């Protein structure tokens, strides 16, 4: 694609300057793309009702047209523009979790361009809680379709710098409001099947959804790779196991803390002997174990503080990538609360396999 000069503008994360918001909304109105912060990750936005602008999203990311986009709204009334029916359960969930990191899959309204839904009869909708995102959608006066602002197959960006690394020369404007608070993408919840099911675990935990929706189904187990690929390719294109691939291989270790330590140290030893540069992503409390191993260590935080681990996870993977390690060995952080989303991203980066 043709080179576009990329400008980065700082914007106040709590009280976005109206001049910046107006100028950015004008670009969207004119059919351009802009990168804006959300509480989860940075998004690459276009006016959801302009097909020509939507096409640019796919070109800028190098993303296949078969991967549908999330539409971001600032007011529940906008739901009526996007869907045919608003089930009571959707209203309850919206009341409890919006604005916030929950995406609802609802029946597609007739006005929603096919480019948004990848031809599906459903549409993904969320109301983000980042003040910049909300101000931008309101100023545009139209919902904004936005995937994460990374190149296809790369890790989602949680800082403007991450976005610049992936998309400089491909988008005219990046709004920089500092690091994203949550750090993993929204939970995608399917409300169009017989049972409500999480398609992608994310910023709202399964446990939290349970309080409003006792019959919510957890994401499909990712250990049966072929079966999962087949189901997800139909239900949720873009959720394939290799979706969030760092540019270096990642090995995810399971087992007790002691087992993980032992097998990770053995793997580091084998790789070190071959002259490989190894990176490890471990909890703060694991650092002494790996201090003298020769591996480059990144810690996103304590395993007891998953909010912090999630917030730093993607930055950690990018840091290790940029340090040119040849492999990343990663401990697991369990499956409770945000642990499920963290595990999902790591498992995808690991191609769906774990090491014992
Ligand atoms: O936190 C987030 O959700 C971020 C921020 C920018 O809002 N966005 C994001 O978008 O992660 P993206 O495009 O990277 O991931 C959206 C995923 C798609 O890969 C797809 O699996 C799912 O949402 N999705 C979108 N529309 C869908 C639909 N109609 N049915 C099922 N899944 C859908
Ligand atoms: Mg993405």
């Amino acid at each position: 694609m043709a080179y576009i000069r990329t400008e980065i503008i700082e914007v106040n994360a709590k009280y976005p300057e109206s001049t910046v918001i107006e100028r950015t909304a004008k670009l969207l109105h004119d059919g351009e793309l802009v990168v804006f912060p959300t509480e989860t990750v940075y998004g690459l936005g276009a006016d959801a009702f302009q097909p020509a602008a939507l096409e640019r999203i796919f070109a800028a990311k190098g993303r296949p047209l078969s991967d549908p986009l999330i539409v971001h709204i600032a007011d529940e009334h906008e739901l009526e523009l996007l869907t045919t029916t608003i089930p009571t359960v959707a209203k309850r969930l919206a009341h409890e979790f919006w604005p916030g990191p929950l995406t609802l899959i609802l029946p597609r309204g007739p006005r929603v361009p096919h480019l948004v839904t990848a031809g599906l009869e459903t549409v993904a909708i969320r109301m983000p809680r980042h003040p910049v995102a909300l101000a931008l959608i309101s100023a545009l006066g139209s919902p904004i379709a936005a995937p994460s602002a990374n190149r296809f197959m790369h890790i989602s960006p949680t800082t403007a710098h991450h976005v610049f690394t992936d998309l400089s020369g491909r988008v005219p404007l990046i709004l920089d409001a500092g690091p994203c608070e949550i750090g993993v993408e929204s939970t995608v919840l399917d409300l169009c099947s017989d049972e409500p099911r999480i398609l992608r675990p994310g910023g709202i935990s399964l446990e939290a959804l349970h309080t409003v929706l006792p019959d919510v189904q957890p994401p499909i187990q990712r250990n049966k790779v072929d079966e999962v690929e087949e189901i997800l390719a139909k239900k949720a294109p873009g959720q394939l196991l290799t979706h969030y691939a760092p540019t270096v291989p990642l090995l995810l270790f399971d087992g007790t803390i002691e087992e993980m330590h032992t097998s990770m140290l053995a793997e580091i030893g084998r790789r070190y002997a071959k002259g490989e540069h190894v990176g490890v992503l471990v909890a703060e409390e694991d650092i002494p174990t790996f201090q003298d191993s020769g591996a480059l260590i990144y810690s996103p935080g304590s395993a007891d503080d998953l909010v912090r681990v999630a917030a730093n996870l993607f930055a950690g993977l990018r840091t290790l990538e940029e340090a040119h390690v040849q492999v990343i060995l990663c401990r697991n952080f369990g499956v409770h609360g945000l642990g499920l989303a963290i595990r999902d991203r790591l498992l995808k980066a690991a191609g769906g396999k774990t090491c014992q």
Side-chain angles (χ1 to χ4, degrees):
M1 61 179 288
Y3 176 85
I4 302 168
R5 199 179 77 84
T6 302
E7 190 181 353
I8 303 182
I9 302 183
E10 283 187 21
V11 58
N12 190 298
K14 280 207 181 113
Y15 306 103
E17 297 82 353
S18 54
T19 46
V20 176
I21 295 297
E22 291 302 329
R23 189 180 148 197
T24 311
K26 168 93 171 57
L27 278 174
L28 287 168
H29 179 81
D30 292 345
E32 297 288 346
L33 302 183
V34 300
V35 175
F36 63 99
T38 82
E39 72 279 21
T40 57
V41 300
Y42 277 76
L44 172 60
D47 181 337
F49 290 121
Q50 292 191 42
L54 296 168
E55 260 174 39
R56 291 201 169 133
I57 290 182
F58 294 92
K61 282 190 64 129
R63 169 162 165 151
L65 294 170
S66 57
D67 198 347
L69 306 174
I70 295 174
V71 182
H72 299 71
I73 60 175
D75 187 306
E76 267 181 53
H77 292 299
E78 287 168 293
L79 275 174
E80 288 152 28
L81 301 170
L82 301 169
T83 182
T84 48
T85 40
I86 308 168
T88 317
V89 62
K91 286 187 189 144
R92 289 210 333 261
L93 289 162
H95 180 75
E96 187 69 23
F97 299 111
W98 280 359
L102 177 67
T103 296
L104 301 179
I105 305 296
L106 293 168
R108 169 185 163 272
R111 283 190 60 201
V112 180
H114 286 291
L115 275 168
V116 166
T117 62
L120 297 172
E121 280 313 310
T122 55
V123 58
I125 307 171
R126 96 171 178 100
M127 189 191 295
R129 72 162 177 246
H130 197 295
V132 173
L134 290 171
L136 194 55
I137 300 162
S138 302
L140 178 63
S142 173
I144 297 179
S148 49
N150 49 286
R151 289 291 284 271
F152 180 60
M153 297 284 276
H154 203 201
I155 307 153
S156 291
T158 54
T159 67
H161 170 74
H162 296 161
V163 177
F164 191 78
T165 305
D166 278 23
L167 296 180
S168 85
R170 297 176 156 257
V171 293
L173 179 64
I174 300 171
L175 293 184
D176 180 358
C180 299
E181 176 199 342
I182 294 175
V184 290
E185 303 88 336
S186 62
T187 300
V188 178
L189 179 66
D190 182 11
L191 295 179
C192 291
S193 298
D194 300 340
E195 295 173 304
R197 181 183 292 282
I198 294 179
L199 298 178
R200 177 180 72 181
I204 298 288
S205 68
L206 174 64
E207 293 88 337
L209 286 176
H210 236 273
T211 61
V212 177
L213 207 59
D215 61 338
V216 63
Q217 300 300 305
I220 296 167
Q221 285 284 320
R222 293 187 174 277
N223 48 10
K224 296 179 195 154
V225 178
D226 293 340
E227 204 178 304
V228 170
E229 292 274 336
E230 199 181 307
I231 296 168
L232 289 177
K234 283 188 207 134
K235 278 302 297 178
Q239 286 295 298
L240 305 184
L241 281 171
T242 46
H243 193 53
Y244 296 84
T247 50
V248 288
L250 183 143
L251 303 179
L252 175 61
F253 286 78
D254 267 342
T256 64
I257 305 282
E258 291 71 28
E259 285 164 353
M260 277 195 293
H261 284 179
T262 308
S263 27
M264 286 173 82
L265 286 169
E267 186 69 31
I268 294 169
R270 276 193 293 277
R271 303 226 171 213
Y272 204 67
K274 288 195 280 181
E276 278 186 34
H277 189 29
V278 180
V280 293
L281 191 139
V282 292
E284 238 158 50
E285 52 276 22
D286 302 318
I287 292 175
T289 307
F290 293 92
Q291 201 105 63
D292 302 319
S293 67
L296 181 65
I297 303 172
Y298 181 94
S299 171
S302 163
D304 294 329
D305 184 359
L306 294 181
V307 170
R308 203 167 141 231
V309 171
N312 292 323
L313 185 71
F314 292 157
L317 293 176
R318 282 182 183 254
T319 301
L320 292 172
E321 247 182 44
E322 282 166 16
H324 301 294
V325 298
Q326 283 149 300
V327 64
I328 298 172
L329 311 187
C330 188
R331 72 161 273 170
N332 83 76
F333 291 88
V335 291
H336 298 296
L338 281 172
L340 200 61
I342 293 167
R343 183 174 178 80
D344 173 81
R345 306 310 184 267
L346 292 174
L347 204 48
K348 280 173 179 163
K353 296 187 294 282
T354 56
C355 309
Q356 290 292 337

